[in-house]
Amino acid sequence: MVRKRPSSVNDLRKKAESRVRNKGSGGKNGPENHDHAKLLHELNVHHEELELQNEELRMQRDKADEAIHKYSDLYTEIYDFTPVAYFSFSREGTILELNRKAYELLGAERSFLIGRNFGFFLTMDSRKIFADFLSEIFGQKKRKRCEIQVLQNRSVVYAILEGTVSEKEDKCLAMVLDITDRKMLELELEEARNTLTLALENGKIGLWQWDIAEDIMTWDQRMEEMFGITPGTFDGKPSTFESLIHEDDLPQLRILTDRALASGISMEAVYRTKEINARSSYIMSKAVVTRDGMNRPLNVTGVCFDVTSIQEGAEKHIVKLNEELLKSNEELRQFAYVASHDLQEPLRMVTSFTQLLQLQYKDKLDEKANEYISFAVEGSKRMYELLNGLLAYSRVQTRGTEFIVVSMGTIVHKVLANLRLLIDETQVKISVGKLPVIRADDSQMIQLMQNLIENSIKFCKRKPSIKISCRNDDGMWVFSVQDNGIGIEPQYFDKIFMIFQRLHLKEEYKGTGIGLALCRKIVERHGGKMWVESVSGIGSTFSFSIPGKL
Ligand code: ADP
């Protein structure tokens, strides 16, 4: 590109023209004059070329100006809207220039801030840090970074100040990054860590971690103390840990650990240590498994605490409770037995004498007296029934015979034979499914089945239909007696199993309210449970479970 200044070409051209004009005024049109005209022509051509080039240069310059403006605007925008505060400081810390984020950080107008010392906006401690920062940065001409606290209105902003020196302009270029959120988190974390340490120390809780890939365990000092080894001597081997556990409890601990590793649920176990000074400690361990992105276990982190005193206390308490319970059960049984058995004799006397009275003095007494006597006879009969029921109830434990292998099919057939008359009378339809052989007290099984079938016939307002079946549920036989009777409201499902609890008047349905209590007691003696499912007006299903083991 030609870089001659166009003005000088212009001058030359003007000079040549004036020379042509001067020669021409001499009146001669000689060869000299001709040369000058040629020169002038060349200069003109040259001038036009230069004008063109000039125009082109002007256009390029305009484009460059435009680009500069564009980029300078962009730069200003970036400079102003970056989330980092930028400053330039003099050697003394005076603010020379700053971006939008910077004056927002200090909470004042740009015009107010320029010319003021940055230290003015810092806490006392940070002023000193800033002064040291400047002297080091200008002294060593090195990039430097420090933490400061900026005062913003009435709060403190935690920030990082990082800067370098622009030697050409003798000023510090710095940026300030707000790290308050991070700082707050760090402080919270620190606080939580302190609380945790305090809790671990005071609660005598041991911390441990097992790195699965490396198969190495890390213990804190409390763990070592708990397992009775000298602090600092645990070698990190899981086998060493296992060697410190009571051999009876180790298999279960291994099962629980494997389950936690496989399932992702946290682990909780109580186990004994090997004897330390002739006694084992009870340790409660809780742990969580950390997994990688592929759900593979990476490590297990846990805590252990010594629960010996709690465990021993609880065991003693349970033993004491059991003893008390056994005693009170025995007393109750004695009471029920004595009450029902010993009351029977005087009651029998009352019953027979009132009956005699009724028989022999019927004609000698008036109607009222006869009515009273029949009430007395009824009452004593009922009392007799109740006492009999109570006696049967108290005898479930005491008079029960040893369990033998019995076929429930045979039991049901015996019951149906016992109830032959009632069955014929009520035209009841009974279906019996396949029933298993179980270990039981056969006479109690007859009592149980008979009570249930009798109830199904009794509490029915239409032609009774009964279905007897059995299924196996997780090792337990579950027997069911299903009927199409009057049914029971759900709120009475528990009440009906209590002794002497009935839902109807004796005039409506005969009975003493002892039957189901007796049934449940028999089932419980056999290690099972008894319950009812029912829909009022549709029917009931009484079920009981008996262990399947023979
Ligand atoms: P009882 O038959 O002498 O009344 P139970 O202890 O056998 O005493 O039954 C208690 C109560 O449970 C009965 O009074 C009755 O209300 C209810 N019940 C028992 N079996 C059935 C049944 N199959 N259908 C409806 N209600 C029943």
Side-chain angles (χ1 to χ4, degrees):
M1 191 181 291
V2 184
R3 290 216 172 260
K4 278 183 191 161
R5 290 172 71 110
S7 58
S8 61
V9 178
N10 236 0
D11 291 348
L12 271 174
R13 193 170 63 93
K14 277 180 188 150
K15 270 183 202 162
E17 274 174 353
S18 86
R19 239 189 277 170
V20 171
R21 261 195 309 276
N22 291 342
K23 298 283 175 194
S25 61
K28 277 197 186 157
N29 245 345
E32 205 177 300
N33 215 7
H34 176 75
D35 284 351
H36 277 121
K38 198 176 159 205
L39 177 64
L40 187 61
H41 173 72
E42 277 173 15
L43 276 172
N44 268 335
V45 170
H46 197 52
H47 172 72
E48 274 163 22
E49 266 175 24
L50 284 174
E51 276 294 326
L52 272 173
Q53 284 170 1
N54 202 11
E55 185 58 24
E56 205 176 304
L57 279 172
R58 240 193 325 269
M59 276 164 62
Q60 279 176 3
R61 195 194 60 210
D62 287 350
K63 266 193 197 157
D65 276 355
E66 207 177 297
I68 285 170
H69 265 109
K70 203 169 122 198
Y71 285 113
S72 131
D73 286 352
L74 194 67
Y75 167 75
T76 316
E77 221 165 276
I78 294 172
Y79 181 66
D80 261 348
F81 288 97
T82 171
V84 181
Y86 286 111
F87 291 90
S88 58
F89 301 123
S90 71
R91 275 177 182 269
E92 294 74 35
T94 308
I95 300 172
L96 304 173
E97 188 47 67
L98 74 171
N99 71 347
R100 178 187 289 262
K101 185 74 193 170
Y103 60 80
E104 278 174 3
L105 174 75
L106 302 185
E109 290 289 322
R110 183 185 217 121
S111 52
F112 172 82
L113 294 167
I114 292 199
R116 284 182 199 271
N117 196 295
F118 182 61
F120 180 70
F121 302 94
L122 304 179
T123 59
M124 278 311 193
D125 291 347
S126 296
R127 279 181 200 183
K128 165 98 180 58
I129 296 172
F130 179 55
D132 292 349
F133 167 86
L134 286 176
S135 81
E136 272 180 48
I137 213 166
F138 280 101
Q140 298 167 2
K141 311 262 184 284
K142 265 208 274 176
R143 199 179 179 88
K144 209 181 134 43
R145 184 189 170 98
C146 60
E147 252 185 52
I148 52 168
Q149 291 170 19
V150 180
L151 294 168
Q152 188 190 67
N153 300 322
R154 291 224 175 95
S155 54
V156 170
V157 173
Y158 291 84
I160 289 201
L161 168 67
E162 185 163 352
T164 184
V165 165
S166 158
E167 287 191 53
K168 206 165 63 188
E169 297 174 76
D170 192 32
K171 64 181 181 186
C172 161
L173 302 173
M175 63 171 200
V176 178
L177 191 67
D178 183 344
I179 54 158
T180 312
D181 289 347
R182 197 183 83 192
K183 200 77 195 167
M184 287 299 151
L185 280 179
E186 277 174 14
L187 287 175
E188 268 174 36
L189 203 67
E190 178 70 20
E191 221 168 87
R193 201 175 291 138
N194 288 342
T195 316
L196 182 68
T197 314
L198 207 69
L200 293 176
E201 271 168 13
N202 286 314
K204 295 203 171 17
I205 300 170
L207 258 185
W208 57 269
Q209 192 166 53
W210 172 31
D211 182 327
I212 296 171
E214 300 290 325
D215 200 22
I216 225 97
M217 289 185 96
T218 318
W219 281 14
D220 71 357
Q221 196 182 317
R222 280 179 297 276
M223 282 292 290
E224 294 178 313
E225 284 163 5
M226 229 177 274
F227 283 86
I229 56 174
T230 320
T233 61
F234 178 58
D235 61 8
K237 290 187 189 149
S239 55
T240 310
F241 163 59
E242 289 197 340
S243 72
L244 299 168
I245 295 172
H246 197 292
E247 53 273 17
D248 290 350
D249 296 351
L250 187 57
Q252 178 65 6
L253 180 64
R254 283 186 179 150
I255 292 172
L256 290 174
T257 311
D258 288 347
R259 200 176 291 164
L261 288 176
S263 68
I265 48 167
S266 53
M267 187 193 90
E268 187 172 325
V270 177
Y271 51 86
R272 284 164 297 168
T273 60
K274 281 236 171 88
E275 286 189 356
I276 309 163
N277 299 331
R279 84 185 269 273
S280 285
S281 303
Y282 283 90
I283 304 291
M284 175 177 269
S285 182
K286 292 187 179 210
V288 282
V289 183
T290 314
R291 291 166 191 280
D292 65 8
M294 310 283 287
N295 208 28
R296 284 175 304 217
L298 282 179
N299 53 48
V300 187
T301 311
V303 287
C304 279
F305 27 95
D306 192 326
V307 290
T308 313
S309 53
I310 305 171
Q311 191 78 15
E312 284 176 354
E315 272 172 14
K316 270 188 207 146
H317 190 60
I318 288 171
V319 169
K320 199 164 159 254
L321 275 183
N322 260 343
E323 281 168 2
E324 280 171 12
L325 205 68
L326 280 175
K327 211 170 136 214
S328 115
N329 264 350
E330 185 51 36
E331 277 171 7
L332 265 178
R333 210 164 41 224
Q334 287 287 334
F335 172 77
Y337 183 76
V338 169
S340 45
H341 185 261
D342 294 1
L343 282 179
Q344 274 198 341
E345 198 40 48
L347 186 65
R348 207 172 292 135
M349 254 165 75
V350 176
T351 318
S352 33
F353 280 107
T354 38
Q355 275 169 345
L356 265 178
L357 203 63
Q358 196 178 36
L359 219 75
Q360 294 185 9
Y361 292 87
K362 202 170 174 205
D363 305 330
K364 299 185 181 84
L365 295 169
D366 64 9
E367 208 178 305
K368 252 298 168 272
N370 274 327
E371 196 187 357
Y372 291 161
I373 290 176
S374 57
F375 282 158
V377 170
E378 272 306 302
S380 51
K381 265 195 205 157
R382 183 145 183 82
M383 194 154 187
Y384 191 68
E385 281 170 10
L386 290 175
L387 283 182
N388 256 337
L390 202 59
L391 196 59
Y393 185 78
S394 70
R395 279 175 174 167
V396 170
Q397 289 287 353
T398 48
R399 297 278 169 98
T401 57
E402 273 213 9
F403 294 175
I404 51 164
V405 176
V406 287
S407 151
M408 282 302 276
T410 313
I411 296 280
V412 171
H413 277 109
K414 278 187 188 166
V415 171
L416 296 184
N418 290 348
L419 299 175
R420 192 75 273 153
L421 271 180
L422 182 68
I423 291 171
D424 290 346
E425 210 175 279
T426 50
Q427 299 280 296
V428 53
K429 194 174 138 229
I430 301 182
S431 82
V432 183
K434 200 163 179 291
L435 301 180
V437 167
I438 59 166
R439 262 192 97 74
D441 176 331
D442 57 347
S443 59
Q444 287 190 343
M445 283 301 121
I446 292 179
Q447 232 179 333
L448 168 64
M449 289 310 282
Q450 191 157 324
N451 259 327
L452 293 179
I453 297 170
E454 268 179 326
N455 274 353
S456 290
I457 298 174
K458 180 164 62 169
F459 296 103
C460 192
K461 285 193 168 143
R462 45 191 151 170
K463 191 175 153 201
S465 167
I466 302 171
K467 220 166 109 186
I468 301 166
S469 59
C470 183
R471 66 187 152 90
N472 194 295
D473 189 0
D474 214 8
M476 297 288 278
W477 291 116
V478 177
F479 295 88
S480 294
V481 177
Q482 187 185 0
D483 64 42
N484 61 342
I486 57 171
I488 303 157
E489 298 281 353
Q491 66 265 35
Y492 301 122
F493 284 2
D494 275 337
K495 187 178 170 182
I496 54 169
F497 290 101
M498 290 175 190
I499 193 161
F500 298 138
Q501 293 292 336
R502 315 193 65 235
L503 305 181
H504 310 276
L505 294 174
K506 64 179 188 317
E507 289 75 21
E508 215 181 335
Y509 295 101
K510 274 193 176 164
T512 54
I514 201 104
L516 287 179
L518 197 78
C519 289
R520 183 176 263 185
K521 200 152 171 84
I522 290 173
V523 171
E524 282 172 359
R525 182 178 171 234
H526 285 77
K529 286 197 166 71
M530 185 166 190
W531 64 96
V532 66
E533 288 151 293
S534 179
V535 179
S536 184
I538 304 284
S540 312
T541 304
F542 282 86
S543 304
F544 62 89
S545 57
I546 299 282
K549 217 167 152 213
L550 285 180

